[in-house]
Structures are given as C-alpha cells and as structure tokens.
Amino acid sequence: MDLSVCILNYNTADQACECIKSVLKHTKDLKYETIVVDNASTDGSVGLLREKFGDRIVLIQNKTNRYFTGGFNDAIFLAEGKYTALVNSDTYIVDNALKYMVDFLETHHMAGAVEAITINDHTNAAINTSTRELTPFRDLLDHSKLLRMIFRSEYARYRYTDWDRESDREVEVLGNAFMMARSDLFKEIGGLNEALKMYYTEYPFSHALRRRGYQLWHLAGARAFHAVGAATGKTDARLVSAIQRTDGDIYFALKEIMDEPAPSGGKFDRLGRRIKKYFFRLLRILP
C-alpha cells in the first residue's frame, strides 16, 4: 500500500465529512487507506461517519479524548502504507495533493517528511506554517506583539516572514495540519510525543527526523485548505489556553531531561527562560 491517510476528529462532524469526501474524491493513482480517529466526540460524529462512509474508512472510536498526539498515534501505528499523512479534520483538498506529496518523497530519498501549503479558507491566504527551530526567546516572541516589534529581525528569521510559501523550500520545522512522512520513520521515533497534548508537537517530531539526517520540505505544489480553529473552537477556551501553557513548559523541560537542549537563540535566551514562566500570568491581568 502506498499511503495511509490519517484524519483526526473531535466534535467536528461536518468538517470531518467534508475532509474525508475531499480525500476520496481527489486522491487518484495511489493505493491508500483512510483511517479516521474519533476522540470521544459528543456531537454524533461516529454515527454520521459510519452512515456516510461505511467500509470506505477505517474508524477508530476512542473512549476518551486522546488529544492531537494520542489520537494520531492510534492511527500511525495501525497504518499499513509506505507513507503516512496526518490530516486535521478541518482541512480539505481540491486536487490530487496527496499524490504530489508521495511523488516527492519517492524521488527525494533524503526527505523524511513534507507539508502541503496550507490556505486559510476564510482569507484565501497562505498560512505561515513552517518555522526554524524553537528557542525560549522565540517562544516568547510568538506570544508578544510588543516584543515582535522590538525584535523584528529575529522574529522574521524564525518565522521565515520574507517567504510567501508559494515555492518549495527545505525548512527546519514542519507544520502538522496537513503533512506526510515515511511510515517507518514515524514508527522508529515512536510517533508523536504524547507528553504534549496539542501544542509544540511539530518541534520534537521535526527535530527527531533532522537528527537522523533527513530533510523536511514545504511543497507549494500540494495545496490544502484549513478552516482555522474549527477544532479548538469546540473546546473550552480556558482549557485550550492551559494546555498550550503546559505543553510549552513540558516541551522545553523534555529537551533538558533528554540532554537535547533547544538550539541556541543567542544572548536573549536566558532572558526568555526567565520571563516565559511569568508571561502567561501577565496576560491574564492585561486587558
């Protein structure tokens, strides 16, 4: 089998159906399976998915919400394809994007994983998914508009802001709303790190592949459309915020524990580490 398409759903029944329909309609000239993981949805997703797609999908029904990493890992370790694509339920394709990604991996043997250019379906603009490696200071910049203005050049370097995503490029970190990797690599690194639930998950994954000597590529020729926030919007905003803070703390703690420090961000990293633990508290106070 060429490809396993893994789709994660949590209370996004309508979006998940559109996502699956787009995959089944537009994916051609590949032997593939579609694995759908439902993370204990309460909106009738499971019944709707069974009714609409039947045996055209492999449906995994989790009894609890295993979040982004756990849900996708359930599919990753069941996947039988040579390549595995991770697809959020709030994304969809309008052409044979998955074949384009498979073809690239087939002809670029040092490429371990690729991402599609992801388009915000509300604005029709490319989403700036790819980044350079994360440092504590860069993490702080992500959460502060004021600091981004002050340290504009560092933020631009981190986020590749001079690049419109309309060309192929090797990158340091892939976005994971619509990405594909070699299945044996996914299994070799143990899938996604389940110490993280929803956020920062792309950084340890990308780092693990690059440490093994593989390249990561953004592909402008593969296009996916993303309804931004449709999945997280189904979860209490306070819970999402708490998970984001916790995942950030865990990510940097894991790097230290595993003796794999985050790449140096220069003289500002010490400042970033000191400020970061107080930053979200300050956000709660500010209007």
Side-chain angles (χ1 to χ4, degrees):
M1 187 179 295
D2 300 314
L3 175 66
S4 297
V5 183
C6 305
I7 299 170
L8 183 64
N9 174 65
Y10 176 67
N11 286 335
T12 56
D14 293 338
Q15 291 96 334
C17 287
E18 291 304 312
C19 174
I20 296 166
K21 283 194 289 186
S22 77
V23 169
L24 297 177
K25 178 179 179 180
H26 295 291
T27 304
K28 305 180 187 305
D29 303 317
L30 287 175
K31 293 181 180 179
Y32 71 97
E33 62 180 347
T34 305
I35 304 173
V36 182
V37 180
D38 183 79
N39 261 341
S41 295
T42 57
D43 67 343
S45 288
V46 169
L48 186 62
L49 292 170
R50 283 178 175 156
E51 177 187 343
K52 284 186 172 292
F53 302 107
D55 60 5
R56 289 185 293 169
I57 64 172
V58 177
L59 181 60
I60 300 174
Q61 184 179 359
N62 284 334
K63 295 182 178 179
T64 60
N65 184 356
R66 286 184 30 78
Y67 295 97
F68 184 90
T69 51
F72 268 130
N73 278 348
D74 291 336
I76 287 168
F77 289 100
L78 186 67
E80 297 182 356
K82 181 178 179 180
Y83 303 104
T84 297
L86 303 189
V87 178
N88 280 2
S89 63
D90 50 5
T91 61
Y92 59 93
I93 54 177
V94 297
D95 57 22
N96 204 1
L98 291 165
K99 178 67 160 56
Y100 187 95
M101 298 165 81
V102 167
D103 287 348
F104 185 92
L105 289 168
E106 282 284 289
T107 56
H108 294 74
H109 301 296
M110 291 312 298
V114 296
E115 68 169 11
I117 183 172
T118 309
I119 309 297
N120 184 321
D121 72 349
H122 299 304
T123 65
N124 210 35
I127 300 170
N128 291 352
T129 50
S130 313
T131 68
R132 296 186 192 275
E133 283 275 15
L134 188 66
T135 68
F137 185 68
R138 287 172 176 173
D139 190 40
L140 196 59
L141 295 182
D142 262 340
H143 295 96
S144 171
K145 185 176 181 180
L146 176 61
L147 289 178
R148 288 197 295 273
M149 292 173 62
I150 297 171
F151 301 100
R152 194 171 303 167
S153 61
E154 174 63 13
Y155 186 71
R157 184 173 183 275
Y158 161 51
R159 283 286 181 182
Y160 301 114
T161 60
D162 61 341
W163 170 43
D164 64 3
R165 271 57 177 185
E166 292 288 352
S167 59
D168 292 358
R169 181 169 177 169
E170 184 182 355
V171 297
E172 292 186 5
V173 178
L174 293 176
N176 49 21
F178 200 102
M179 59 86 72
M180 183 186 297
R182 301 179 187 277
S183 296
D184 57 348
L185 284 178
F186 254 136
K187 294 177 171 106
E188 180 182 326
I189 68 173
L192 301 176
N193 192 324
E194 291 189 38
L196 308 171
K197 293 183 182 296
M198 293 167 57
Y199 295 94
Y200 298 83
T201 58
E202 65 269 39
Y203 297 106
F205 166 78
S206 297
H207 184 64
L209 265 61
R210 291 178 65 236
R211 279 193 68 211
R212 286 164 172 77
Y214 287 94
Q215 301 168 350
L216 309 175
W217 280 84
H218 169 94
L219 301 182
R223 304 179 78 83
F225 291 82
H226 186 202
V228 178
T232 53
K234 304 293 184 178
T235 306
D236 183 88
R238 291 170 297 179
L239 174 60
V240 171
S241 179
I243 291 172
Q244 184 177 20
R245 293 196 303 272
T246 303
D247 280 354
D249 292 339
I250 290 173
Y251 168 69
F252 287 110
L254 283 173
K255 298 290 274 185
E256 294 182 7
I257 292 170
M258 297 171 65
D259 195 28
E260 295 178 3
S264 174
K267 63 183 179 181
F268 299 116
D269 262 359
R270 285 191 295 273
L271 176 65
R273 290 188 182 95
R274 290 174 182 172
I275 294 177
K276 184 176 180 296
K277 64 179 179 180
Y278 300 109
F279 184 74
F280 285 102
R281 296 179 191 173
L282 181 61
L283 288 183
R284 295 194 206 114
I285 299 171
L286 294 176

